[in-house]
Amino acid sequence: MSSAAAPPRAHVLIAAERLPTRVGLRLALEPEARCTEAADAESAVDAAVRDRPDVCLLGLDPGGQGLRVVSEIVSKVPSAMVILLTSKLDEDEFMAAVRAGASGYLTNSLDPARLPHVVRGAMNGEPAVPRKFVSRLLDELRTREHRRSVVLAGRGRVALTTREWEVVELLLRGASTAEIAVALGVAPVTV
């Protein structure tokens, strides 16, 4: 009689400022996953670089350090799937998280029994996205191709990169340079 090999345990980095949040997430994921924890934005990036987790669950304020941390982790550990957990779902925040490189965006009130499924799905390349936001992603993809260039006085038609378009879109929404830098996870001087 042969037995099937058990799938490898996921390594999950749990980053949240509140200890009860970290403990709750860890308890929901163990024993199916090996968990490490970080208590703030800087230690989350350091732990991700050091430990190379499969999945990072970030319970950090997206409006504060969360988007910057997503961007840093994705750039330094491209193999990691990053899921941002938030207290309240917001469509614009969701799009900013996706642009920063997040593989998921969920409310932190998610049923703890679902967390192992979310982690396994992320490891298999499945996005962890609320269904109500999928249409926004599809609309963005459909319209983005039609907006790839702009006509500038004296220069004719100029093609912009995806990142340049993200900056333009945020400018059109009235965002300041500092707000754009936070939303895109870059330095203000880059904006």
Side-chain angles (χ1 to χ4, degrees), residues 94-118:
F94 161 69
M95 291 303 294
V98 170
R99 286 183 186 109
S103 302
Y105 176 86
L106 298 170
T107 180
N108 56 19
S109 63
L110 175 74
D111 179 0
R114 289 196 50 220
L115 274 173
H117 302 286
V118 169

Side-chain angles (χ1 to χ4, degrees), residues 69-104:
V69 173
V70 169
S71 181
E72 280 193 51
I73 290 174
V74 168
S75 70
K76 294 178 179 179
V77 189
S79 62
M81 300 289 111
V82 180
I83 299 171
L84 193 58
L85 300 174
T86 183
S87 59
K88 181 178 140 194
L89 295 176
D90 177 89
E91 196 169 300
D92 290 331
E93 188 177 87
F94 161 69
M95 291 303 294
V98 170
R99 286 183 186 109
S103 302

Side-chain angles (χ1 to χ4, degrees), residues 3-177:
S3 61
R9 282 176 34 143
H11 177 197
V12 179
L13 170 62
I14 299 167
E17 293 164 349
R18 297 184 62 239
L19 178 61
T21 301
R22 291 193 311 272
V23 170
L25 292 169
R26 182 173 36 81
L27 290 173
L29 289 168
E30 291 177 335
E32 292 189 34
R34 181 171 59 92
C35 299
T36 54
E37 298 178 22
D40 58 41
E42 297 311 315
S43 61
V45 173
D46 292 343
V49 170
R50 180 187 63 242
D51 300 336
R52 303 283 190 207
D54 300 306
V55 177
C56 298
L57 293 176
L58 303 181
L60 303 169
D61 175 29
Q65 299 289 323
L67 293 177
R68 180 185 62 78
V69 173
V70 169
S71 181
E72 280 193 51
I73 290 174
V74 168
S75 70
K76 294 178 179 179
V77 189
S79 62
M81 300 289 111
V82 180
I83 299 171
L84 193 58
L85 300 174
T86 183
S87 59
K88 181 178 140 194
L89 295 176
D90 177 89
E91 196 169 300
D92 290 331
E93 188 177 87
F94 161 69
M95 291 303 294
V98 170
R99 286 183 186 109
S103 302
Y105 176 86
L106 298 170
T107 180
N108 56 19
S109 63
L110 175 74
D111 179 0
R114 289 196 50 220
L115 274 173
H117 302 286
V118 169
V119 167
R120 279 194 300 276
M123 289 179 60
N124 289 324
E126 299 171 14
V129 176
R131 285 185 174 173
K132 69 182 189 175
F133 291 156
V134 171
S135 62
R136 171 82 186 262
L137 280 176
L138 294 174
D139 288 343
E140 183 75 17
L141 289 172
R142 281 188 207 110
T143 61
R144 183 152 289 207
E145 289 304 314
H146 300 292
R147 300 178 296 169
R148 291 286 180 199
S149 63
V150 65
V151 177
L152 297 178
R155 293 187 58 199
R157 186 162 292 279
V158 176
L160 298 179
T161 67
T162 300
R163 188 57 123 184
E164 289 167 337
W165 272 115
E166 290 170 355
V167 170
V168 169
E169 288 170 351
L170 290 167
L171 281 170
L172 290 172
R173 291 185 195 145
S176 69
T177 299

